Amino acid sequence: MVPLRHFLFFDSDCPFCQLQINLLVKLDWLNKVEFVPLQDFKKTATGVNIDENALNQAIHCITPQKKIFVGAKAIRFIGMRMPLLFPLSILLWVPGMMFIAEKIYQYISTNRYFLSRFIGCKEVCSVNASNNKNSDV
């Protein structure tokens, strides 16, 4: 039996987003997350309905129990399932930290295409399908 994984929807048209997902793919040692471009949301049988505009504004994580985490809360949720990100995720439980993390996430999300150009992220930032171990399942 294949264990149920969490779906993480991201903007695959954004080179900066792809860079971050590429890193998360490498950190997902326990294979807990299925990384899915938001453009494929309708093709993915998640059993939940999310507004397309909301999907474009922030990453969304959907658990096998259909619980939805958005933005910084999705990062904290996913980080709790990745050994190297666990310490950072614990910090996000400190009172007040999620408020700060949400503000930082919102700024980055709003400016993600500018950040892509600023750091020179083009094809080199794209998610390599062969690196996505979830495609083998």
Side-chain angles (χ1 to χ4, degrees), residues 64-77:
Q65 296 77 27
K66 310 296 184 226
K67 186 162 180 161
I68 302 170
F69 295 94
V70 180
K73 290 180 180 166
I75 293 170
R76 178 178 67 184
F77 179 82

Side-chain angles (χ1 to χ4, degrees), residues 44-59:
T44 308
T46 60
V48 298
N49 186 21
I50 301 173
D51 178 59
E52 190 172 328
N53 188 44
L55 276 172
N56 282 314
Q57 298 303 314
I59 61 170

Side-chain angles (χ1 to χ4, degrees), residues 83-95:
L84 289 179
L85 292 180
F86 187 81
L88 175 64
S89 298
I90 291 292
L91 285 176
L92 291 175
W93 285 100
V94 171

Side-chain angles (χ1 to χ4, degrees), residues 20-122:
Q20 304 314 309
I21 295 300
N22 197 18
L23 176 63
L24 288 175
V25 166
K26 292 175 183 173
L27 294 175
D28 188 18
W29 301 341
L30 304 176
N31 201 23
K32 296 285 186 178
V33 182
E34 178 143 357
F35 301 91
V36 183
L38 66 84
Q39 292 79 356
D40 293 340
F41 176 75
K42 292 181 181 178
K43 298 178 195 173
T44 308
T46 60
V48 298
N49 186 21
I50 301 173
D51 178 59
E52 190 172 328
N53 188 44
L55 276 172
N56 282 314
Q57 298 303 314
I59 61 170
H60 284 65
C61 180
I62 303 173
T63 70
Q65 296 77 27
K66 310 296 184 226
K67 186 162 180 161
I68 302 170
F69 295 94
V70 180
K73 290 180 180 166
I75 293 170
R76 178 178 67 184
F77 179 82
I78 293 301
M80 294 294 291
R81 282 132 188 94
M82 296 181 183
L84 289 179
L85 292 180
F86 187 81
L88 175 64
S89 298
I90 291 292
L91 285 176
L92 291 175
W93 285 100
V94 171
M97 289 301 291
M98 187 49 66
F99 176 79
I100 295 168
E102 287 286 355
K103 294 297 181 189
I104 293 170
Y105 182 89
Q106 185 178 22
Y107 177 80
I108 291 172
S109 177
T110 302
N111 297 293
R112 65 187 186 263
Y113 289 100
F114 170 76
L115 290 171
S116 295
R117 288 189 307 270
F118 181 74
I119 64 172
C121 200
K122 293 186 181 164

